[in-house]
Amino acid sequence: MSEGDTGEGATPTRGIATPSGDPGALPPLGDEGARGGDGSGDDVKDEVASSNYLTNASPYPGDEEAEPHDDSCPGGLCQKRCIKDYGKKRLPVVTWAPQYDSEKGKGDLIAGSTVGLMVIPQGLAYAITANLPAVYGLYASYVGAFTYIFFGTSKDVTVGPTSIMSSLVASTANGDVYYAICLSFVAGVYMVILGMLEFGWVMWLLSYPTLSGFTSAAAIRIAASELGDLFGISDWDSDFVDVVYDCFTKYNQIRWTDTVMGFTCLLILLLLWLLQKLSAAKGLEELQTQGQTWRFYVWRTLWYVGLMRNIIVVVGASIVAYALYIDDTHPFYIVGKIQAGLPGFSFIVFKTFETQWSSLLIDGLIIALIGLLEGLVIAQSFSKKNKYEINQSQEMVALGMCNIFGSFLWSYPVTGSFSRSSVNSESGVRTQFGGFWTGLLVVLCLLFLTSLFYFIPLAALAAVIIFAVIFMINFCIPIEMWKSRKMGTVSWVVSFTAVLLLGIEYGICVAVVFDLILVIAANLHPTIHVHDMGDGIILVEVDSGLNYLSINFVRTKVEEALYWERKRFLFSHSSSVLAIVIDCSKLSELDITALENLKCLWEDCKSEGVILLTVGLLYEYQEDLEAIGVIIPNFNDSTEAVASAKRVNARGKRSSMFNALFLDMNYDGCDINYDGMNYDRNETDPSDLEPLLTSRNHDIRIFRR
């Protein structure tokens, strides 16, 4: 944001940034308040439960009955039916539009208009957070709303500027309008590509502790960066470390007028938020006990008053600023003049990309991933709550198209908004067409009302942002995780600290890498339980998959049991190891490295005259072992395996594992090859072979027919 002139008789205006901008604007993080309201952070679950009495919204209209699918069709555009299905998938509007009626239109009109009144002040505030002229927040507010109607699959999601995306733009574009707009195009292309390729799994790289720590840290960064506007300090930094330094060095620059305005707005926002919560609870109680009485409609009206707190605060603060405008002097820093009218269609993104493509590709990828994460989490949460289905890959495409189209109409990167989506759902939206009324209000505002934004105090907008993100800060989560999963708390702390000190784009990368290191470490040392079952039988339980990361650790543990005399294992009931049973019932994978290591272990056991058994090994893995020349007797449960090994050892022989087990087990349909001579298991009496099976120096194999 550019610094305003603070001289005598001048109009102090900050927020009319030039394309180069002032990098000392505002910082990074998430959407308004990941808990509802209009960014106030109302808990979505609590608020919806208490305020759904306001509407009788029907479930999301489902698709008409699907046509029978031809299994011979490979799924591409090979048949007319495939083309039709693919078209419905990529353009969901053709699915719900034919069932649109006046009842749905009424719900969409009410919800869309409500969200439109919210997004206008938020858009202005978020643009300043992004270190861009305030009008660009309005440009970003209507393009996404219109585009999502055609491509989105969630009736509740509203697309537009959010606190996290605005903060990312501030840290990457540094006030350069053209760079910010081009970021929207590049991020949109990434989103579309990932959606087309069904890359929704990319979002799974963020664990719950990491996401929670990221959200809290980003909220603190955003709130801290707004303190400058709240206190009227003109050259406030946006980076958290610099903000801490500014708190100790620039306190003497505090303007009491802006400070009073800012804290008054915060107090009014808090009171209106409490009014909304109270009226929702009282209205629901009245509806359940007395029905739709006059008192119900009074509480319903008060609920809407609380819901509109942002617009009430901004309009009220503007009136005060206008009333105190004396002799061309303003007591507050204000937004200033905003360009009226709609922006023209422009291809400036290609010119910017041509000169700065290397940095745009990196920054665009980060913004795309964060935007997809934010948008998909919102869409999924509302689809579960309102019981309808969404297509995650199509949601990625929809967000990408919103950003691509927006870049040609001077919009910076956008994604789904949690707070506005919550209000959209609570207000009774019926279809995606609710976004039309949201976008229309913003367009009308740009055409006819921009002159009214001149006197909006920046302290009021700062109060709106701070109140929106303050509820996203949650220090209870790491405390709760410490009670059950201490490593979850460690992940939270790493994510929180990295994002807070390094910024969103670098902090989230550090957090993801740390999570991956934890996953690798867990695979390197899986949980292994070694039990002495007596009579020389050792049971080894493996609680995870065997892959190239974990197999060496597992093999080491088994060999420690095999050679316990030379290792640190002391088995109280066994004088020597006669059989090892590996419980594989919890085995989820077995890669080629693990197969080769099992083969080596099998050969070690064979050379030592120790019986090696498995329990619960999947048939496909048994076939993989047979393919490399290894056949290990497998049992359904460990009790059966241990009992069989004990019966074999009770005979007093230390023959090779297959020799002994052949006498004990019923290998129906198998042949035994003894020094090149074949014996049919079903036709041979085991006692006839017993004298031959006392030596370890013979080549004995068992084959399935």
Side-chain angles (χ1 to χ4, degrees), residues 184-185 187-188 191 398-407 412-415:
S184 181
F185 177 80
M191 291 176 179
L399 292 174
M401 298 304 293
C402 290
N403 280 281
I404 291 174
F405 287 141
S407 67
Y412 69 87
V414 296
T415 188

Side-chain angles (χ1 to χ4, degrees), residues 593-605:
T593 305
L595 290 173
E596 290 296 330
N597 275 269
L598 281 178
K599 180 179 181 180
C600 294
L601 180 62
W602 173 71
E603 291 174 346
D604 290 343
C605 289

